[in-house]
Amino acid sequence: MSYNYRSNVVNSEQMRRIEGAIFASGMPVAALMEKAALLTAQQLKKSYSLANFPKIGVIVGPGHNGGDALVIARELHLAGYQVSLFCPIAKLKDLTAQQANYVKHLGLIFQKTLESLEDCQLIIDGLFGFGLERTLSADIAELVDKINSWQKPVISIDIASGIHTDTGEVLGTAIKATHTFCLGLWKRAFFQDLALPYLGKVELIDIGISPLDLETILQDSPPILRVNPDLIRPYLPLPRPLLTHKYQQGHLLIICGSRRYAGGAILAGLGARGSGVGMLSIAVPAALKSLLISHLPEALIIDCPETATGAIAELPLELNNYHVLACGPGLTTENPAIIEQVLDSDKPIILDADALNILAQLGIEKLSSRQNKTILTPHWGEFKRLFPNLSGSQDRINITQEASQQSGAIVLLKGARTIIASPGGKMYLIPESSSALARGGSGDVLTGLIGGFLTQMPDNAPEATALAAYLHAQAGILAAKERTELGVDGVTLANYLFAALKDSIPPAPLDKGGADRRGDQN
């Protein structure tokens, strides 16, 4: 396990212990405060120039978050900004009180009312940092609501005040930051959908936590990892060996589609195409065969007997002839026997859409006898049907982990921040996405993409799932930038998968002598 500040995500207790280890090894508390605040001030000055934001208001809390804010205020003052301070809580921690005394010595003034800061162009929120668990008091809540009503840019230090560090819950009310500088390590709230409207643009400030200190605290806990290109690059099935052929690059079967939902089959196939899978077979109702061939000429289209309403009636093929099975897009819930047949196979499977709805009817206990990997890809509505005992919690990270433990499956919970949990405890969090993906068909593309990557990297199922989810999100972001969010339909999204891959992962190196790695074409 590699401990890297850009990847590891911690809860508030882990962050306390990591800071404790740093202090125990000799780093003075004041020195760490100075370091974190100075680095934040540097980034703040780059993003918010003196010319555009000459007057800055700083809200100072009683703890070390307030101390950080005071160091930042000092540095901005020395850089020429006109800084006004307001501290709504009289009793300060010792170190914060020392910082307050020093800024007073420099001539900064603590204003008596919050309204004195209303003419500032920018507000810095230094009320509360990580670890807040209680609902804000009435007077602080009123202050927060007033700041939000100003509709000015607000910078939060570490996390927006009023947000629970782990669950992302709003503790009564919370600062609606436009920019949050997270100090040291990513906190769980940054990947909870509840918190996202309050965090704005997020940026991590590297304060130089050593891998040794991280390992000391995190070694006994399954890792929670924020996916980034450096993390996924080692798992990508590239470069391919020179001597290879299509079946060595995996054979995926997608079972999907119906007369009513033909598009789901096409989009799942396009998603699989975007993975570069060696061989793709798609089982659909017979009436859809010519349609699928016209969109996916490279795929082997298997026509299945149909029900009277145009759903798959039975699968006239041997499932164990394929490396991976993906099932669900456009399937309908008409024939549960199809899903039972898939569950009985000894191959890795991905279940999505109507396959999940049928599984919810059958019960997740049906997964207990499976000997190979199962990947479930629910959105929130499907998740609630699969795991009704977990749907009362708003902590998406925790309930995804619990769902994986209960089902023995890898669970990918879709959302603004997609979460992937494996039965072994390892978790992957997708750091960004686009509302362009909130459109019918996006999930079908993801199903095919996961299936294609899993087929090529069967020994790394959690990583294949995370890789697919990351590139799916990046394709949505890239397509939205070039087309606007309204212009990203499922086909467009699939067409941007290769561009997202190219942007995230450098091209494979050339062999000596200039030969490329395309391999045998048989």
Side-chain angles (χ1 to χ4, degrees):
M1 171 62 205
S2 175
Y3 292 91
N4 184 301
Y5 77 95
R6 290 196 179 277
S7 297
N8 284 100
V9 179
V10 297
N11 60 34
S12 56
E13 177 57 27
Q14 289 170 327
M15 192 68 218
R16 287 190 189 96
R17 292 172 60 200
I18 289 166
E19 285 192 347
I22 294 171
F23 300 145
S25 62
M27 168 72 84
V29 178
L32 187 62
M33 178 182 287
E34 284 283 326
K35 184 175 186 179
L38 287 172
L39 290 168
T40 304
Q42 289 174 8
Q43 288 301 109
L44 199 153
K45 286 185 286 186
K46 290 178 183 177
S47 299
Y48 302 92
S49 68
L50 176 61
N52 293 325
F53 299 91
K55 298 179 70 175
I56 294 181
V58 181
I59 313 298
V60 180
H64 288 172
N65 194 248
D68 294 335
L70 286 167
V71 175
I72 292 168
R74 181 192 75 204
E75 293 303 303
L76 295 177
H77 168 74
L78 294 174
Y81 291 84
Q82 183 179 335
V83 179
S84 297
L85 304 170
F86 177 68
C87 182
I89 300 173
K91 185 173 177 56
L92 306 179
K93 284 190 174 182
D94 290 345
L95 185 53
T96 303
Q98 293 172 23
Q99 297 288 2
N101 288 335
Y102 186 61
V103 297
K104 289 176 184 176
H105 168 74
L106 293 177
L108 277 77
I109 297 174
F110 281 85
Q111 303 294 335
K112 294 182 179 180
T113 65
L114 176 66
E115 287 73 15
S116 300
L117 276 59
E118 192 170 0
D119 64 342
C120 295
Q121 288 97 17
L122 178 70
I123 302 296
I124 296 176
D125 161 32
L127 271 173
F128 304 108
F130 80 89
L132 184 68
E133 296 180 348
R134 65 184 185 277
T135 300
L136 297 183
S137 63
D139 54 339
I140 296 298
E142 183 180 350
L143 178 148
V144 166
D145 289 340
K146 186 168 289 186
I147 292 171
N148 289 339
S149 73
W150 291 347
Q151 298 185 330
K152 297 177 182 292
V154 179
I155 310 300
S156 284
I157 308 304
D158 203 18
I159 191 167
S161 295
I163 296 296
H164 192 291
T165 313
D166 296 339
T167 67
E169 179 186 358
V170 178
L171 299 170
T173 190
I175 290 287
K176 289 186 176 179
T178 49
H179 196 159
T180 301
F181 291 102
C182 179
L183 304 182
L185 294 168
W186 291 108
K187 318 303 189 297
R188 287 167 61 125
F190 286 85
F191 306 91
Q192 300 276 18
D193 283 5
L194 283 175
L196 298 185
Y198 298 86
L199 301 176
K201 177 184 177 182
V202 298
E203 189 171 345
L204 186 69
I205 301 296
D206 175 15
I207 61 175
I209 298 173
S210 76
L212 179 61
D213 288 326
L214 282 177
E215 184 175 3
T216 300
I217 303 306
L218 302 181
Q219 61 182 343
D220 296 328
S221 303
I224 299 179
L225 301 173
R226 175 187 185 271
V227 178
N228 59 56
D230 290 337
L231 187 68
I232 64 174
R233 188 175 287 111
Y235 297 102
L236 193 72
L238 286 175
R240 289 179 172 177
L242 180 62
L243 298 177
T244 189
H245 59 76
K246 55 183 176 285
Y247 290 108
Q248 287 179 328
Q249 301 307 321
H251 192 174
L252 170 66
L253 171 66
I254 307 177
I255 304 164
C256 55
S258 61
R259 193 181 306 160
R260 184 177 181 185
Y261 301 116
I266 296 170
L267 294 172
L270 292 175
R273 172 191 281 175
S275 74
V277 66
M279 188 65 192
L280 173 62
S281 292
I282 306 177
V284 294
L288 301 187
K289 183 171 183 176
S290 59
L291 176 66
L292 267 291
I293 290 172
S294 69
H295 286 83
L296 294 150
E298 77 276 19
L300 174 61
I301 309 302
I302 302 166
D303 50 323
C304 301
E306 298 183 22
T307 66
T309 59
I312 295 176
E314 61 179 282
L315 293 173
L317 66 166
E318 175 51 60
L319 297 182
N320 290 332
N321 289 339
Y322 303 89
H323 294 133
V324 172
L325 314 176
C327 185
L331 194 66
T332 81
T333 58
E334 184 175 344
N335 191 358
I338 298 294
I339 303 306
E340 296 196 72
Q341 188 176 346
V342 170
L343 292 172
D344 288 341
S345 75
D346 64 4
K347 296 299 180 180
I349 64 173
I350 302 107
L351 301 181
D352 182 38
D354 282 324
L356 296 176
N357 292 325
I358 293 173
L359 179 62
Q361 297 170 11
L362 298 172
I364 61 168
E365 297 79 14
K366 292 286 290 186
L367 301 178
S368 61
S369 60
R370 296 211 78 246
Q371 299 300 307
N372 215 320
K373 306 171 189 71
T374 303
I375 300 173
L376 310 178
T377 62
H379 57 57
W380 180 238
E382 293 160 344
F383 184 93
K384 289 191 292 184
R385 290 189 282 276
L386 287 166
F387 304 100
N389 61 317
L390 299 176
S391 61
S393 172
Q394 299 187 79
D395 184 346
R396 288 166 49 87
I397 293 175
N398 185 58
I399 63 173
T400 306
Q401 197 168 44
E402 285 290 322
S404 181
Q405 297 298 316
Q406 288 184 17
S407 63
I410 295 168
V411 177
L412 179 152
L413 178 57
K414 298 169 184 173
R417 295 293 178 267
T418 293
I419 300 167
I420 300 119
S422 64
K426 181 186 288 186
M427 299 190 73
Y428 289 104
L429 309 179
I430 306 304
E432 56 184 344
S433 187
S434 167
S435 59
L437 296 177
R439 192 162 177 177
S442 295
D444 301 328
V445 174
L446 178 59
T447 299
L449 190 61
I450 294 171
F453 281 129
L454 180 61
T455 306
Q456 298 172 79
M457 41 195 291
D459 295 330
N460 301 108
E463 289 72 28
T465 308
L467 170 62
Y470 178 80
L471 291 176
H472 182 263
Q474 292 299 312
I477 292 168
L478 184 60
K481 285 181 179 177
E482 296 188 8
R483 290 211 174 196
T484 78
E485 291 176 345
L486 299 181
V488 186
D489 57 274
V491 173
T492 299
L493 174 65
N495 288 338
Y496 274 83
L497 290 172
F498 287 120
L501 178 62
K502 185 177 179 181
D503 282 1
S504 300
I505 310 294
L510 293 178
D511 285 334
K512 291 181 180 179
D516 67 23
R517 296 178 180 265
R518 287 175 293 186
D520 187 302
Q521 300 299 303
N522 294 327

